[in-house]
Amino acid sequence: MNSVKYKLLVILMLLSGYTQAQKLKEKDVLGQWSLSIDIDEKIKEDTEDLGTMERLLARGISGFVQEVLDVIDMTFIFEPDGVVHLTVRVPTEEKVQKETLTWVINKEGFLIIDEFKSEEQQINFDALWQLDGEVLQAYDRETREKESLTLSRI
């Protein structure tokens, strides 16, 4: 009887380890990805403590902001050896913005996209990224809570 309990315990331990998030590998990241931002959800979370009028105003503005974000195309092309090309297309502008960033997978298996700074602009994706189904989901670096950013493979 003890051997049956022992076998069940071992099986449960193996299953629980298997169901935990698998560490990201370079091959999982390589290729072209599109950024999505769910600003509505973020504003709902951030306005919970506000009064009714402030909350209504903030949530009303979030719809407009979401519409603007939906037409901006942000594409990431991850290449081997930690290089990622970011392309930003804004329909109202003729010029397509392109920047080269770096990325790394840390020892915990999270993707980290390094920030970019120049005199004209700063790009900062201060998050940990992990595969969540078919998308790369952003998580807060400190709290490990889901953020409103996702990358979807194109």
Side-chain angles (χ1 to χ4, degrees):
M1 189 67 165
N2 281 341
S3 68
V4 172
K5 287 181 183 178
Y6 176 74
K7 287 178 184 177
L8 284 174
L9 181 63
V10 169
I11 290 171
L12 286 174
M13 287 175 29
L14 289 173
L15 287 176
S16 68
Y18 181 74
T19 58
Q20 289 179 355
Q22 301 295 315
K23 286 190 175 183
L24 203 57
K25 296 179 177 65
E26 183 180 67
K27 68 179 179 69
D28 299 325
V29 175
L30 298 179
Q32 193 168 348
W33 298 79
S34 177
L35 180 71
S36 297
I37 303 170
D38 186 358
I39 198 72
D40 290 335
E41 186 62 33
K42 182 68 175 162
I43 288 181
K44 282 180 188 175
E45 291 171 9
D46 291 347
T47 59
E48 288 176 355
D49 296 334
L50 295 178
T52 304
M53 290 305 291
E54 293 102 352
R55 192 173 353 161
L56 287 173
L57 179 62
R59 290 181 181 177
I61 292 171
S62 75
F64 171 74
V65 172
Q66 187 67 55
E67 287 180 25
V68 171
L69 289 173
D70 287 344
V71 297
I72 297 173
D73 179 31
M74 296 182 75
T75 304
F76 293 78
I77 302 173
F78 289 90
E79 295 184 350
D81 301 323
V83 174
V84 60
H85 300 285
L86 171 62
T87 303
V88 180
R89 289 181 181 84
V90 179
T92 58
E93 295 181 17
E94 289 182 29
K95 184 179 176 186
V96 175
Q97 298 177 359
K98 296 183 179 185
E99 297 297 340
T100 300
L101 309 170
T102 58
W103 64 273
V104 65
I105 297 174
N106 69 10
K107 62 184 176 186
E108 296 175 80
F110 286 100
L111 170 68
I112 297 173
I113 303 170
D114 294 326
E115 67 181 279
F116 170 84
K117 290 182 184 178
S118 72
E119 290 182 15
E120 296 99 29
Q121 60 188 347
Q122 178 176 345
I123 302 169
N124 187 359
F125 296 99
D126 189 29
L128 299 171
W129 299 82
Q130 181 65 51
L131 272 178
D132 186 1
E134 296 293 317
V135 299
L136 283 167
Q137 173 68 52
Y139 293 88
D140 184 274
R141 284 188 186 220
E142 293 182 21
T143 65
R144 304 293 169 102
E145 292 179 8
K146 277 188 178 183
E147 293 194 348
S148 56
L149 303 170
T150 57
L151 289 169
S152 302
R153 192 175 292 278
I154 299 175

